[in-house]
């Protein structure tokens, strides 16, 4: 049985008090309401990691994640944060290759290979993002485009290493735009990506991969999207900043 995962990506939002309030609300709601076997990950900005970890405490199935890590182990890299540091603060997950990192910070597939290696070596589970922009979707070449991202970034890893990675498919044209891929579009791409991993690593590894949907998922569409055979959860942006919406998404399985 593949792990069901809902990960909240706060992006560059929330001051200290707001982050504490949101985390406390989510923790209390999950304790009171949630009876689903779903792994929940909170991915706040770096400065929130330790205080959020303290609030999470021993809450069942609730984990701390980061939004990025360096491709270097340590050294004179002002402003960077290594996977080693993240692990020491109690992080369990790290988002890698988000479309905003690829676009705004020009992260290459080669760099993302190095970041994934750092994460795995430090016991972090990468939530590895892939996805196509609008022009690729309109040209009908989205499968080829996204498969290439995965091939160039991840296909040098062993089967054992791949089994420790979570994939997040994010149609870039549906992030922060209010547009959402239909549940059938999500299923089509997720199935194609699973088949792509099967072609390299075999059906056993591919069938065990959790593949999340990451494009404007909300309480209104989550149940439909999560019902699809190859959709194993969501990487949630804006809706993760509202405790009620986020918990309702978690309860959508």
């Amino acid at each position: 049985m593949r792990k069901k995962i809902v990960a909240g990506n706060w992006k560059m939002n929330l001051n200290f008090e707001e982050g504490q309030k949101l985390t406390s609300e989510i923790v209390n709601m999950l304790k009171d309401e949630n009876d689903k076997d779903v792994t929940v990950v909170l991915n706040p900005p770096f400065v929130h990691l330790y205080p959020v970890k303290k609030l999470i405490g021993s809450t069942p199935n609730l984990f701390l994640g980061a939004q990025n890590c360096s491709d270097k182990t340590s050294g004179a890299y002002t402003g960077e944060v290594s996977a080693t540091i993240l692990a020491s603060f109690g992080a369990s997950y790290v988002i890698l290759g988000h479309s905003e990192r690829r676009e705004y910070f020009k992260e290459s597939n080669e760099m993302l290979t190095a970041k994934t290696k750092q994460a795995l070596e430090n016991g972090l589970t990468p939530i590895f993002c892939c996805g196509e922009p609008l022009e690729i979707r309109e040209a009908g070449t989205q499968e080829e485009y996204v498969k290439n991202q995965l091939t160039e970034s991840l296909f040098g890893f062993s089967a054992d290493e791949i089994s420790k990675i979570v994939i997040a498919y994010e149609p870039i044209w549906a992030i922060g735009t209010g547009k959402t891929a239909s549940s059938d579009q999500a299923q089509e791409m997720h199935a194609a990506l699973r088949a792509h991993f099967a072609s390299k690593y075999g059906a056993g590894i591919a069938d065990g991969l959790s593949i999340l949907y990451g494009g404007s998922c909300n309480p209104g569409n989550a149940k439909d999207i999560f019902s699809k055979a190859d959709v194993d959860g969501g990487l949630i942006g804006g809706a993760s900043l509202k405790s009620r919406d986020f918990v309702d998404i978690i309860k959508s399985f």
Side-chain angles (χ1 to χ4, degrees), residues 71-88:
D71 59 334
K72 306 293 194 299
T73 303
S74 62
Y77 302 102
T78 300
E80 291 292 285
V81 177
S82 70
T84 305
I85 294 171
L86 295 178
S88 76

Side-chain angles (χ1 to χ4, degrees), residues 86-101:
L86 295 178
S88 76
F89 274 82
S92 300
Y93 290 78
V94 59
I95 299 170
L96 298 177
H98 192 281
S99 59
E100 293 159 0
R101 298 294 311 179

